[in-house]
Amino acid sequence: MRVHLAYGESGLDIDVAREVTTVVEPVHHEAAADQVALVRAALRHPVAGPPLRERVRPGQTVAISVCDGTRPQPRRLVVPALLAELDGVVRLEDVVILIATGTHRGNTDAELRQMFGDQVVDAVRIVNHDARRLDELTWMGRFGKDVPVWLNREWTEADVRITTGFVEPHFFAGFSGGPKLVAPGLAALETVLVLHDAARIGDPRATWGVTHGNPVHDDVRAIAEATGVTFAMDVVLNRDKDVVAAFGGDLSPMHAAATAAAKRMAMRPVQAPFDVVVTTNSGFPLDQNLYQAVKGMSAAYQVVRPGGTIVCAAECRDGFPDHGSYREVLASASSPQELFDAISARTETVPDQWQVQIQARIQSGSRVVMHTGHLSDADLATAHLEQTRDISATVAAALAAAGPGARLCVLPEGPQTIPYLAGTAR
C-alpha cells in the first residue's frame, strides 16, 4: 500500500506491505470553520482570569513572545487577532514582538515577512531574542531547582507580557507552548544550559506528554510563574497546520487545558513494539535541519523494539544546521554509545549537547537510517547515521532481516503523533 509522508513542503510517498504495517496518525480534526473567530474567542473568553483587553491599560508597553521560524505557529492569524484586541487601548509603537529563539538563530527579514506578513512587519517592531547578548538580558534570580535566570530585557521591562504558542507533545519538555515561550525561549544561554543539563535530560520523566514531575518542565514552569506572564494563549493544530482549538488566560490553567486537548489528539497507544518504524519530522518547517529531526527519531523510538530499525525522512534544507554546536558535539566521539556516556557524565553543559544526548541514546539502542534532500552520505556519517535514497526498499530489507513475523509502524506525521505502549503511564 502507498503511504504519504510529511516531508518538506510537498511530502513523499512510500510503498509498504499492507499485511505487516500499522499506520499511526493523530486523531484528525478539521480546521475550525472560522479560525480567526476561534482565536478571538480565546482572547475574550479565557480558561481562567479576565479577558486580554481587561488586563491592559492605556499608556502601557506590551511585549508579545512568539515561536521562531522552525515552528509552524500560525502567526499570521494569531498576531493580527492580538493586535486587534489591543487596538484602542495601547499604541502600536508601544508593542514589541519578540521571537523566542532560545539558542536558535534569529530569523531574517524575508523569513519574518513570510512568518507575519508585510503589514505586521511594517507596523510593529519585531526583535530576534539573542541568548548570547548579555547586554540585552536582565538578571531575575534563581528559580525551580536552582536555575540561574536571565531573561530578555524588552520582555522583563514591558508592562504587559503575552505569550503565544502552539501545543504539541515535546520529546523532553512534555509539551510545547505555554511557559516555554518565556524560558528557554527568551532566556540567556546559561539559563538554557542549566535547563538542558545531562541530569534533567537523562531523567526518565523528561519525555513526551509528561509535565508535572518532569524536571525540565517543572523548572520551565517555575520560571514563567515566578517572573510573570500577563496573558497566555496557545493553539492546537491539525496535520494541515490549521487551528482546531485555542485557549487563553492565566498561564498555568490555560496550558493545562491546551495540553489535555493536544494529548487526546496526538498520543496513540499501540499493543507491542515494532521491528521497523518509519517516521518523519512533520514536514516543513520542523524538518529544516537534522537537529530538529531528533524529535522524529524520538517519536519512533517509543515503539521500536530493542535493536530495531528507525527510518526518518526529514528534508534538512538548512543542513545540520551550521550554526550552533550540534554538529561539533556529534563528531566529538567515535560512536553513539561513547557520545551518550560522555555527555551523561558531564557536570557542565555544552550548547546543543541535549539533542545529541537524546540522539545518541536512540542510536545506541536502534539502527537509524535517514532520508534527506540536502545532506550527503558523508555528512550523515559524521553524525553516525546512514542514508537511504529509497525508503521503501530499505524498509523491505530491514523487515526481511528481522525474520518471519516482522512488523512495521509508520508515523506519517512524525512527532505530531506520539505512539506509546499500551499500559505505560503517560
Side-chain angles (χ1 to χ4, degrees):
M1 68 177 179
R2 180 153 291 186
V3 181
H4 186 73
L5 304 180
Y7 178 85
E9 293 183 87
S10 57
L12 59 86
D13 294 321
I14 62 171
D15 293 304
V16 295
R18 183 184 302 273
E19 63 273 14
V20 301
T21 302
T22 299
V23 178
V24 182
E25 299 178 277
V27 176
H28 183 65
H29 290 262
E30 294 297 329
D34 187 337
Q35 296 179 57
V36 174
L38 192 65
V39 169
R40 188 183 302 121
L43 300 174
R44 296 179 178 179
H45 307 286
V47 172
L52 171 62
R53 197 170 173 87
E54 294 180 15
R55 304 187 193 212
V56 185
R57 298 191 305 276
Q60 289 186 314
T61 57
V62 177
I64 303 170
S65 177
V66 303
C67 303
D68 72 7
T70 64
R71 305 293 192 265
Q73 181 186 17
R75 305 168 200 83
R76 284 177 175 247
L77 186 156
V78 169
V79 172
L82 265 174
L83 296 176
E85 286 300 293
L86 297 172
D87 185 42
V89 182
V90 298
R91 304 179 306 167
L92 279 181
E93 51 264 44
D94 290 328
V95 176
V96 61
I97 297 171
L98 299 174
I99 310 297
T101 57
T103 59
H104 302 167
R105 69 169 175 84
N107 292 118
T108 65
D109 181 73
E111 289 171 332
L112 293 176
R113 291 182 182 278
Q114 183 179 44
M115 290 158 63
F116 295 95
D118 290 338
Q119 186 173 355
V120 169
V121 173
D122 292 336
V124 185
R125 190 164 59 92
I126 303 176
V127 176
N128 284 300
H129 169 68
D130 189 337
R132 295 165 177 83
R133 286 289 301 270
L134 295 180
D135 60 319
E136 297 178 358
L137 301 166
T138 300
W139 169 250
M140 304 300 292
R142 291 182 175 271
F143 305 103
K145 192 176 180 182
D146 200 32
V147 182
V149 178
W150 284 264
L151 293 179
N152 184 287
R153 180 169 291 118
E154 297 230 33
W155 175 258
T156 62
E157 292 183 352
D159 298 315
V160 175
R161 295 181 290 278
I162 302 169
T163 63
T164 68
F166 74 103
V167 173
E168 63 181 359
H170 188 277
F171 65 143
F172 60 78
F175 282 95
S176 65
K180 288 184 88 268
L181 272 295
V182 178
L186 297 176
L189 176 61
E190 182 176 350
T191 304
V192 177
L193 294 182
V194 173
L195 286 171
H196 295 66
D197 67 15
R200 286 177 174 83
I201 298 299
D203 191 300
R205 297 168 296 178
T207 190
W208 301 101
V210 178
T211 51
H212 290 73
N214 177 332
V216 177
H217 199 278
D218 284 349
D219 283 345
V220 166
R221 192 172 61 251
I223 292 167
E225 290 175 347
T227 57
V229 173
T230 308
F231 190 91
M233 199 199 80
D234 281 323
V235 296
V236 178
L237 308 177
N238 64 14
R239 67 169 69 98
D240 301 317
K241 313 297 190 293
D242 291 322
V243 177
V244 298
F247 304 86
D250 297 342
L251 178 63
S252 290
M254 180 287 300
H255 195 241
T259 57
K263 181 178 286 190
R264 289 191 296 270
M265 286 178 58
M267 303 196 72
R268 308 297 301 277
V270 299
Q271 295 305 309
F274 296 86
D275 301 278
V276 182
V277 182
V278 174
T279 186
T280 73
N281 215 46
S282 304
F284 185 84
L286 196 59
D287 74 348
Q288 289 182 69
N289 55 57
L290 187 63
Y291 175 96
Q292 295 293 342
V294 178
K295 294 174 181 175
M297 299 177 204
S298 180
Y301 188 63
Q302 306 308 300
V303 292
V304 72
R305 68 164 173 80
T309 298
I310 294 170
V311 182
C312 181
E315 188 182 47
C316 299
R317 65 176 66 176
D318 199 23
F320 275 79
D322 290 333
H323 60 273
S325 304
Y326 170 67
R327 186 172 191 171
E328 178 185 350
V329 177
L330 273 173
S332 66
S334 61
S335 71
Q337 188 64 57
E338 185 179 328
L339 270 174
F340 181 74
D341 292 342
I343 293 172
S344 298
R346 288 178 183 165
T347 56
E348 292 190 9
T349 308
V350 174
D352 297 330
Q353 75 171 40
W354 47 90
Q355 213 83 349
V356 178
Q357 182 179 1
I358 294 171
Q359 181 178 332
R361 180 172 63 204
I362 294 167
Q363 288 182 258
S364 295
S366 311
R367 174 192 177 206
V368 181
V369 182
M370 295 297 302
H371 174 84
T372 78
H374 296 270
L375 289 170
S376 69
D377 294 2
D379 287 332
L380 288 171
T382 66
H384 315 285
L385 292 162
E386 303 173 52
Q387 174 114 274
T388 179
R389 300 299 175 191
D390 187 336
I391 295 175
S392 301
T394 298
V395 167
L399 287 169
R407 301 166 59 246
L408 167 67
C409 177
V410 182
L411 306 175
E413 304 297 321
Q416 297 295 322
T417 319
I418 307 304
Y420 63 96
L421 296 177
T424 59
R426 292 288 178 178

